[in-house]
Amino acid sequence: MRLRSTEAGWGVLLRTFHWLIAALILAQAVIGLSMVPMGVTPAKVRVFALHKSIGMTILALALLRIAWRMGEKRPVDPAGMPRWQRGAARAVHLTLYFLILAIPLSGWWFNSASNAPLAWFGLFPIPSLTGGYDPVWKPRALLTHQMLFWVLVALLVAHVGAALWHHFVQRDDVLRRMLVGSRERNGGG
Ligand code: HEM
Ligand code: HEM
């Protein structure tokens, strides 16, 4: 099992980042969409706190992932992949990296402009981005948080669709090398 990515496949660290962040984002989507319509109860306060803590965890993981990725090799694309597909994949991946930073940042921004508390799993406080209540930026931050989330959903439809198309129609290694690394023997994967 290789820590670093090679030309044949993704390393274990990048794969772990990929699937951990994907699972946390799925949890965030379910929690975020179901917590907003809840009646005002202590449970709602707890669920909001959970959403914010998981969201800040995603922000930290995304920063670590991008820092690690900058020193990584990228596995080579399958032979014969058209240029436009390579370009489209790069554009979607770059936008996904942008969104896993921008969505939690906009949530943190909205929370700050609402002057709501923020403590990572109740363990330590996280400072405000706005220095207190801000009636002008609060609705803009919320709209940004919501809109970026739906942009992410749309891009994920394309991203997951492309992964499944590679696997089931093209029958290449693109999904396999993100799941289990490379197919190489002697140290691959
Ligand atoms: C990748 C991370 C995140 C995702 C995918 C996400 C997703 C969502 C979604 C889908 C909603 C429901 C939007 C609606 O229907 O109104 C929501 C609401 C919310 N999010 Fe996030 N969120 C993330 C991170 C954060 C962070 C880091 C914070 C704060 C530190 C945060 C604070 C909030 C708050 C306060 C709401 C409720 C907005 C309202 O009162 O209408 N989120 N989020
Ligand atoms: C919130 C969910 C997800 C996010 C944010 C995300 C993000 C990304 C990003 C940024 C990359 C580019 C890796 C790089 O070049 O460093 C990538 C690669 C990949 N993702 Fe996802 N992904 C998500 C979910 C999924 C799911 C559900 C699948 C499969 C069903 C999937 C399959 C893949 C595959 C196969 C690659 C490798 C592409 C290649 O080798 O060229 N992803 N993902």
Side-chain angles (χ1 to χ4, degrees):
M1 209 183 273
R2 283 206 177 104
L3 193 63
R4 304 197 74 95
S5 303
T6 65
E7 287 182 357
W10 294 103
V12 73
L13 203 65
L14 224 127
R15 280 185 278 137
T16 308
F17 274 132
H18 178 269
W19 294 112
L20 185 61
I21 292 176
L24 289 177
I25 285 187
L26 178 66
Q28 276 301 80
V30 173
I31 298 172
L33 292 173
S34 44
M35 73 185 189
V36 173
M38 280 171 81
V40 184
T41 58
K44 179 169 186 162
V45 176
R46 283 197 298 273
V47 179
F48 263 64
L50 178 69
H51 178 82
K52 297 185 220 170
S53 297
I54 298 176
M56 295 307 287
T57 309
I58 295 174
L59 178 60
L61 287 171
L63 286 169
L64 288 173
R65 174 177 172 181
I66 291 166
W68 176 263
R69 170 69 170 86
M70 283 159 87
E72 284 268 90
K73 270 206 180 95
R74 195 182 183 288
V76 284
D77 291 320
M81 191 170 161
R83 266 173 68 100
W84 72 266
Q85 272 180 27
R86 288 169 206 258
R90 296 292 185 283
V92 169
H93 292 161
L94 264 180
T95 316
L96 287 173
Y97 276 130
F98 166 76
L99 289 171
I100 59 176
L101 294 174
I103 296 175
L105 277 173
S106 63
W108 185 6
W109 180 30
F110 170 67
N111 197 70
S112 306
S114 311
N115 205 22
L118 182 58
W120 193 74
F121 293 103
L123 293 175
F124 58 84
I126 297 174
S128 164
L129 291 175
T130 56
Y133 183 69
D134 189 328
V136 175
W137 287 108
K138 185 182 156 181
R140 293 177 188 171
L142 177 58
L143 191 65
T144 309
H145 195 55
Q146 292 166 330
M147 278 183 7
L148 291 181
F149 171 72
W150 289 110
V151 174
L152 174 69
V153 172
L155 277 186
L156 282 178
V157 171
H159 182 63
V160 173
L164 297 178
W165 178 78
H166 274 286
H167 193 71
F168 292 108
V169 180
Q170 295 294 101
R171 295 178 178 276
D172 58 30
D173 257 3
V174 168
L175 179 57
R176 197 176 297 110
R177 69 191 189 183
M178 186 45 100
L179 285 166
V180 295
S182 76
R183 250 198 320 198
E184 270 174 75
R185 300 257 174 256
N186 307 324

